[in-house]
Every structure is written in C-alpha cells, then in structure tokens.
C-alpha cells in the first residue's frame, strides 16, 4: 500500500497499530470494566514507543480477540488464533488450548477452524509472495545467541557491569547479545526450560483430551496467559515488544474473568513495561555501552533486573491460577453425568458468555 516508500511505511505501520489499539480499547470500553480499560490505556503509555513501531501488537491483539470469542463463538475464536499463528510463530503453542475431550464435537470443530485459517493464509502467502515467505519465519531463531535483555542473561549483565570480560554488542542476528563466559551454559538452560514448557503444554493437552469433563473457556484463557509467559521468560530472546504478546490478553482477562490475581498481574505488568522503557529506548546506549565502551550502567542493570524478576513473579502467579482453574475443570461434579461441551461453555463462571 505504501509502494516501498520508507517514510510512508513508518506512518502506515503506526496508523495500523493505532487502529488495532483503538479496536481493543473500544471493546474494553463497551464492556464497561473500568480496571481493564484503564490498564490498557496506561500500558499503552508505559510502552508507548513499542506500541506503534512494532508489529508484535498484531498477534497480541489477535490472541486477545480469540480469548474474547472463545466461549461464545469458538470456531471464530479458533480461526482468529490461526491468523495470529501466521502473523507470529509463538501463538502456535496456544493451539493446544483448543483441545477438549477427545469425543467432543467442539474439540474437532475448533481444531478444524484453526487449521482452515492456517491453510487459507498459507495459500494466500504462497500465491502473493512465494513459498519461501511461508518458511522464512522458521529460520529467524537459527542464528540467535543470548539476547541482552532476556531473563537468563541477567546474571551476565551484572558481570558485564563489573568487568570488561563480558560485553554487549550487535550480533549477526541484528539484536544486541551478551558475549563472554557463561553464555553457552545460559543458552543450554534456555533450551531445557523451553523443553519443559513444551512438556507442560503436552501434559495439559493430553490430560484434557482424555480427562476433561466439560471444556472451560475460563481455564483455557488462564492457560493461554501462562503459556505465553513461560515462552517469554524461558526464551533466549526477550525484546521489550514481547510485552505486547501479554498485555492485550491480560486486559481481556481482566474484563472477562477479573479476580485479585489478575489485578496483581496487571499492576506488575505495568511496572515491567515502565522498566522496559527505561532500558529501551530511554537509556539503551548506556545499557549497551555502544558509545562509552563501558559495560551497562548501574541504572539500566537494576532496571532490567527488576523487570525480569517481575516477569518471573507474574509467571508464577499465572501458573498457580491456571493450576486451580484446570483442577476445577477436571474435578467439577465427578459424580454427575458428563456435561456436553456446548452447554458447559455457556455456563462456566466468568467466561463472559450469556447464561442459558
């Protein structure tokens, strides 16, 4: 649409992101949940540069939209999640949340809707830009090292602050990475934690496939949040725009589910966004030492450390909430006949669906 003009592309990207931001803001406002609406507005100001300059808002808002319609229009929700997966790879993990009991029509309808959206967009992309563009995102992480703002890089950032044996510099991956002793070990830990995250997703999926009595949209939303957080905090890369994967979903969960745990998560996430902005873009030159030739300053090191500690705390709170919601899904009315999924989705507490 911008015909290759770089300035028009920048303006167009900002406008497109603001349209997405406005659409979510409008839904939150019409929902009438003041804490959710206020959280999203304040978050946008806290992470302002990232909101209008990074395309990570697209999958974040799409996943939030999938959460909105999961209870009332599950097929549409699954198709939106498929679009999110084609926009960014990480929502691929969330497809596990579409799985309910193996003999439920709802399970297969959701999965087919998701797969249909994937196939349609794959065909469209192939026809317009070629098969290479479908495959290229799988290569993005191939050359990645330990990104300087990742959770696992935090101890090495402190080492770089005190010693020039460690440094932060622009790598071949076009991101600022940490170099020095311990990097290989941290990358190995990241791999192990990522595998454990995948096993967690597999365990939840298999358990629901064989043991769920009534598919709970509320439990799925909680699971989606925990899985997205686990992906972020265990990865070797954690750019500030990755918070855009989390915040739209948190805003929707505040509106649909509420609860003290979500209020705590939203408050902590606002603080994490502010601390991220302190590191990038406000004092990123001080953090990388690109102009001074020194290690990261104490201010940026402390800000990054606090941000990463907060993200770990948010993940722990979210996982505990997910555990409780999934346990309720498995244990509800054990002595009663199994609830048909279509009925269970409409009566689950806090799912935002009409009561029938």
């Amino acid at each position: 649409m911008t015909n290759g003009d770089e300035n028009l592309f920048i303006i167009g990207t900002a406008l497109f992101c603001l349209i997405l931001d406005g659409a979510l803001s409008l839904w939150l406002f019409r929902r009438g949940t003041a804490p959710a609406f206020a959280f999203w507005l304040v978050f946008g100001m806290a992470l302002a540069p990232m909101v209008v300059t990074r395309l990570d808002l697209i999958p974040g808002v799409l996943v939030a939209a999938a959460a909105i319609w999961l209870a009332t229009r599950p097929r549409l929700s699954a198709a939106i999640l498929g679009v999110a997966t084609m926009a960014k790879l990480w929502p691929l993990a969330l497809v596990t949340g579409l799985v309910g009991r193996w003999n439920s029509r709802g399970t297969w309808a959701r999965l087919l809707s998701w797969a249909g959206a994937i196939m349609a967009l794959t065909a469209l992309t192939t026809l317009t830009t070629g098969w290479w563009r479908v495959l290229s995102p799988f290569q993005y992480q191939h050359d990645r090292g330990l990104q300087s703002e990742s959770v696992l890089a935090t101890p090495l950032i402190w080492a770089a602050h005190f010693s020039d044996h460690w440094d932060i510099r622009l790598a071949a991956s076009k991101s600022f990475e940490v170099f020095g002793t311990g990097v290989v070990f941290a990358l190995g830990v990241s791999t192990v934690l990522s595998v454990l995250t995948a096993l967690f997703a597999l365990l939840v999926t298999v358990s629901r496939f064989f043991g769920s009595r009534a598919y709970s949209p509320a439990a799925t939303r909680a699971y989606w949040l925990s899985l997205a957080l686990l992906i972020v905090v265990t990865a070797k890369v954690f750019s500030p725009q990755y918070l855009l994967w989390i915040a739209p979903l948190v805003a929707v969960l505040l509106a649909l589910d509420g609860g003290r745990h979500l209020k705590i998560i939203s408050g902590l996430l606002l603080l994490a966004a502010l601390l991220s902005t302190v590191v990038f873009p406000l004092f990123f030159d001080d953090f990388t030492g690109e102009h001074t030739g020194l290690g990261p300053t104490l201010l940026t090191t402390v800000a990054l450390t606090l941000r990463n500690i907060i993200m770990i705390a948010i993940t722990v709170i979210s996982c505990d909430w997910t555990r409780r919601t999934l346990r309720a899904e498995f244990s509800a009315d054990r002595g009663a006949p199994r609830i048909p999924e279509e009925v269970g989705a409409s009566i689950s507490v806090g799912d935002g669906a009409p009561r029938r």
Side-chain angles (χ1 to χ4, degrees):
M1 293 173 64
T2 57
N3 198 32
D5 187 300
E6 183 176 352
N7 291 327
L8 285 179
F9 178 82
I10 293 172
I11 295 171
T13 298
L15 289 174
F16 183 70
C17 290
L18 287 173
I19 289 171
L20 289 177
D21 175 24
L24 180 57
S25 299
L26 179 62
W27 183 87
L28 292 168
F29 178 77
R30 294 183 63 183
R31 180 78 186 180
T33 310
F37 182 61
F39 162 76
W40 181 242
L41 292 184
V42 175
F43 178 86
M45 292 185 286
L47 203 71
M50 299 296 100
V51 174
V52 295
T53 58
R54 298 294 187 273
L55 297 178
D56 294 83
L57 183 65
I58 297 174
V61 170
L62 287 173
V63 168
I68 289 172
W69 285 300
L70 184 61
T72 54
R73 298 179 181 178
R75 292 174 180 82
L76 174 62
S77 171
I80 292 173
L81 187 62
V83 177
T85 303
M86 292 298 288
K88 197 84 171 181
L89 279 178
W90 70 268
L92 176 64
L94 305 189
V95 70
T96 56
L98 300 178
V99 176
R101 192 170 177 84
W102 67 273
N103 58 354
S104 167
R105 287 180 299 174
T107 294
W108 302 108
R110 289 188 296 271
L111 292 175
L112 286 173
S113 297
W114 177 84
I118 293 288
M119 289 187 289
L121 286 175
T122 297
L124 179 62
T125 304
T126 302
L127 289 173
T128 55
T129 56
W131 180 244
W132 69 271
R133 190 63 187 89
V134 177
L135 299 178
S136 61
F138 293 97
Q139 303 172 6
Y140 289 167
Q141 301 298 321
H142 179 69
D143 296 324
R144 289 276 198 174
L146 187 65
Q147 202 247 359
S148 57
E149 296 165 78
S150 63
V151 173
L152 288 169
T154 306
L156 301 180
I157 296 301
W158 278 100
H161 170 70
F162 288 109
S163 171
D164 59 5
H165 182 69
W166 292 266
D167 66 319
I168 302 170
R169 61 178 184 267
L170 188 64
S173 62
K174 298 183 180 180
S175 66
F176 282 86
E177 298 176 359
V178 186
F179 295 87
T181 304
V183 168
V184 174
F185 175 76
L187 290 172
V189 172
S190 174
T191 300
V192 171
L193 292 177
S194 297
V195 170
L196 290 176
T197 298
L199 290 176
F200 162 70
L202 179 62
L203 175 63
V204 171
T205 305
V206 172
S207 299
R208 296 180 96 186
F209 192 65
F210 292 107
S212 176
R213 296 184 59 77
Y215 182 80
S216 168
T220 299
R221 291 192 291 264
Y223 167 69
W224 278 354
L225 177 60
S226 294
L227 194 53
L229 284 165
L230 285 168
I231 290 171
V232 170
V233 300
T234 63
K236 58 186 178 180
V237 180
F238 185 177
S239 298
Q241 61 264 28
Y242 289 8
L243 294 178
L244 292 170
W245 302 358
I246 310 297
L249 183 56
V250 169
V252 168
L253 294 184
L254 270 172
L256 294 180
D257 302 305
R260 182 171 175 269
H261 50 279
L262 278 169
K263 291 179 180 178
I264 295 173
I265 287 174
S266 61
L268 290 174
L269 194 58
L270 289 177
L271 184 55
L274 285 170
L275 290 168
S276 289
T277 301
V278 168
V279 177
F280 182 88
L282 292 182
F283 299 104
F284 199 60
D285 287 344
D286 294 338
F287 177 69
T288 61
E290 189 173 20
H291 297 318
T292 64
L294 303 174
T297 62
L298 182 61
L299 171 65
T300 56
T301 302
V302 170
L304 178 67
T305 303
L306 290 175
R307 194 281 304 268
N308 288 343
I309 291 174
I310 288 171
M311 291 304 298
I312 293 173
I314 291 173
T315 304
V316 171
I317 296 170
S318 179
C319 287
D320 180 64
W321 175 44
T322 299
R323 177 186 60 82
R324 288 185 280 111
T325 57
L326 287 173
R327 185 172 62 183
E329 177 184 293
F330 289 124
S331 61
D333 298 326
R334 278 293 180 185
R338 189 178 68 84
I339 303 172
E341 184 174 307
E342 292 76 9
V343 176
S346 68
I347 64 174
S348 59
V349 176
D351 62 10
R355 271 60 178 163
R356 296 200 290 269

